[in-house]
């Protein structure tokens, strides 16, 4: 596996592959790899001849009071895991390589970025859309892989790729979970042992939502309330949102339909922010 630090070298690598007629898959990440990331990498391997994983903790997508400085990092472990997963190039640019001193361009996907996580993280999806645009231009992949755990991110990036005519396919990877059901996340490392035990309430609340959704007499509001109450039974857990939305438009649903999704975000003791989601079906 090649470690690539500069944009010029990444482009060179990509051009060499293109000359050899090889296709390329990209999986953008912020590192501190877990099985969710590795599933993305393995999926990418099945989709193209060469796999690029970018590892960049993107300052543009963090708010002023968020965890940019404390975001977990372990480059050597990440590089070993990526190599083991069959990644061909690990692209690890510095912040100054990605954002020159005079940087002033932003990509905004207006509608889809507004609600859910966008409501409490203003500017977050502008940061995501901007860095992913840059990565798409640098790596020029044939296919890019993103996880369904960040469902709104996936919807925003699909819209962006279509609107800006990126010549690539976006593939989504189902959520990888711990044995007890907690969605894997680099941010789970912030949880204390007691918080980690309680955090299973998120995936359990989704199971409850799925069960309630099968009963047509249960309204969307009742499902959302049941999920919120279930999570908030755990000391220190506060629900930021628990919303039934359409899986594509992300608009709030009046009733559970074909493509409905329960998306939720919760804060743990004001310190850790966790997200999760699941599709709901009527029957
Ligand atoms: P991150 O490093 O957290 O920015 O995530 C990088 C990519 O991995 C994103 O496309 C995420 O959606 C995806 N990802 C993170 N956690 C999971 C998970 N538990 N299951 C599936 N994909 C994930």
């Amino acid at each position: 596996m090649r470690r690539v630090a500069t944009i010029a070298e990444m482009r060179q690598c990509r051009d060499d592959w293109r000359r050899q007629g090889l296709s390329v898959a990209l999986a953008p990440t912020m590192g501190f790899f877990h099985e969710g990331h590795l599933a993305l990498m393995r999926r990418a391997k099945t989709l193209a001849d060469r796999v690029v994983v970018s590892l960049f903790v993107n300052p543009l997508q963090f708010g002023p009071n968020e965890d940019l400085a404390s975001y977990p990092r372990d480059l050597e472990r990440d590089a070993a895991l990526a190599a083991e997963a069959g990644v061909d190039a690990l692209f690890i640019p510095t912040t100054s390589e990605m954002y020159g001193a005079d940087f002033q361009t932003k990509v905004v996907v207006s509608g889809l970025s507004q609600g859910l996580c966008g409501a409490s993280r203003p500017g977050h999806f502008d940061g995501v859309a901007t860095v992913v645009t840059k990565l798409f231009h640098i790596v020029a992949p044939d296919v890019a892989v993103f996880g369904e755990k960040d469902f709104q991110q996936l919807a925003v990036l699909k819209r962006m790729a279509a609107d800006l005519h990126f010549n690539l396919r976006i593939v989504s990877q189902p959520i990888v979970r711990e044995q007890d059901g907690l969605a894997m996340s680099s941010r789970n490392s912030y949880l204390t042992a007691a918080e980690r035990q309680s955090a299973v309430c998120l995936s359990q609340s989704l199971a409850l939502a799925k069960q309630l959704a099968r009963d047509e007499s249960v309204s969307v509001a009742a499902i959302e309330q049941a999920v919120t109450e279930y999570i908030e039974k755990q000391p220190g857990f506060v629900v930021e949102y628990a919303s039934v939305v359409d899986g594509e438009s992300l608009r709030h649903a009046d009733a559970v339909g074909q493509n409905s999704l329960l998306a939720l975000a919760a804060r743990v003791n004001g310190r850790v922010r966790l997200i999760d989601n699941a599709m709901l079906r009527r029957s």
Side-chain angles (χ1 to χ4, degrees):
M1 184 185 72
R2 276 174 73 169
R3 287 195 203 187
V4 179
T6 66
I7 293 168
E9 193 188 342
M10 189 65 249
R11 287 212 157 112
Q12 184 65 54
C13 184
R14 176 64 178 95
D15 289 348
D16 290 346
W17 288 334
R18 186 175 285 150
R19 264 193 297 276
Q20 295 168 53
L22 300 170
S23 60
V24 175
L26 168 68
T29 80
M30 299 205 300
F32 210 65
F33 295 152
H34 50 66
E35 274 300 320
H37 294 114
L38 301 181
L40 234 57
M41 296 175 203
R42 291 188 202 110
R43 181 76 180 280
K45 270 207 86 72
T46 69
L47 297 168
D49 301 314
R50 294 289 181 269
V51 173
V52 177
V53 168
S54 59
L55 194 173
F56 180 60
V57 182
N58 173 33
L60 213 61
Q61 70 189 68
F62 286 78
N65 300 314
E66 293 187 349
D67 55 344
L68 174 62
S70 58
Y71 198 83
R73 295 161 209 248
D74 190 341
L75 177 57
E76 289 313 313
R77 178 175 172 275
D78 283 353
L81 288 171
E84 216 173 287
V87 170
D88 297 283
L90 187 63
F91 179 46
I92 331 161
T94 60
T95 302
S96 56
E97 179 76 4
M98 289 296 274
Y99 297 107
D102 217 11
F103 183 82
Q104 41 190 295
T105 303
K106 247 184 356 193
V107 179
V108 179
V109 181
S110 46
L112 287 166
S113 300
Q114 296 303 311
L116 305 174
C117 288
S120 60
R121 305 188 71 189
H124 169 68
F125 289 112
D126 302 351
V128 171
T130 303
V131 80
V132 171
T133 293
K134 288 155 80 65
L135 292 169
F136 282 177
H137 284 311
I138 295 163
V139 179
D142 301 280
V143 54
V145 193
F146 296 92
E148 290 170 11
K149 170 160 170 287
D150 299 274
F151 205 88
Q152 189 173 11
Q153 167 173 286
L154 184 61
V156 165
L157 295 176
K158 278 184 179 165
R159 184 74 266 152
M160 180 191 87
D163 288 353
L164 299 184
H165 312 289
F166 278 105
N167 191 18
L168 51 82
R169 193 156 64 94
I170 290 187
V171 169
S172 71
Q173 177 67 23
I175 301 176
V176 178
R177 297 179 178 281
E178 300 284 357
Q179 236 164 26
D180 67 355
L182 177 66
M184 290 198 181
S185 165
S186 308
R187 289 190 167 100
N188 291 348
S189 63
Y190 297 149
L191 298 168
T192 65
E195 290 167 344
R196 167 64 191 85
Q197 271 203 322
S198 306
V200 68
C201 69
L202 267 68
S203 58
Q204 285 176 345
S205 79
L206 294 174
L208 173 65
K210 281 188 194 177
Q211 187 193 327
L212 291 172
R214 282 190 208 108
D215 181 345
E216 289 197 19
S217 68
V218 181
S219 68
V220 159
I223 295 172
E224 292 169 345
Q225 191 182 341
V227 164
T228 302
E229 282 172 6
Y230 189 89
I231 292 171
E232 293 190 343
K233 270 197 302 201
Q234 296 300 322
F237 281 64
V238 176
V239 171
E240 197 176 273
Y241 65 80
S243 300
V244 180
V245 297
D246 176 75
E248 211 160 297
S249 69
L250 302 188
R251 283 202 199 96
H252 191 257
D254 300 328
V256 175
Q258 284 288 312
N259 192 25
S260 295
L261 181 91
L262 188 298
L264 66 85
R267 285 193 184 274
V268 186
N269 291 314
R271 227 183 55 252
V272 189
R273 188 174 179 280
L274 301 176
I275 59 171
D276 204 345
N277 68 78
M279 298 298 295
L280 302 181
R281 308 221 185 284
R282 262 306 180 211
S283 51

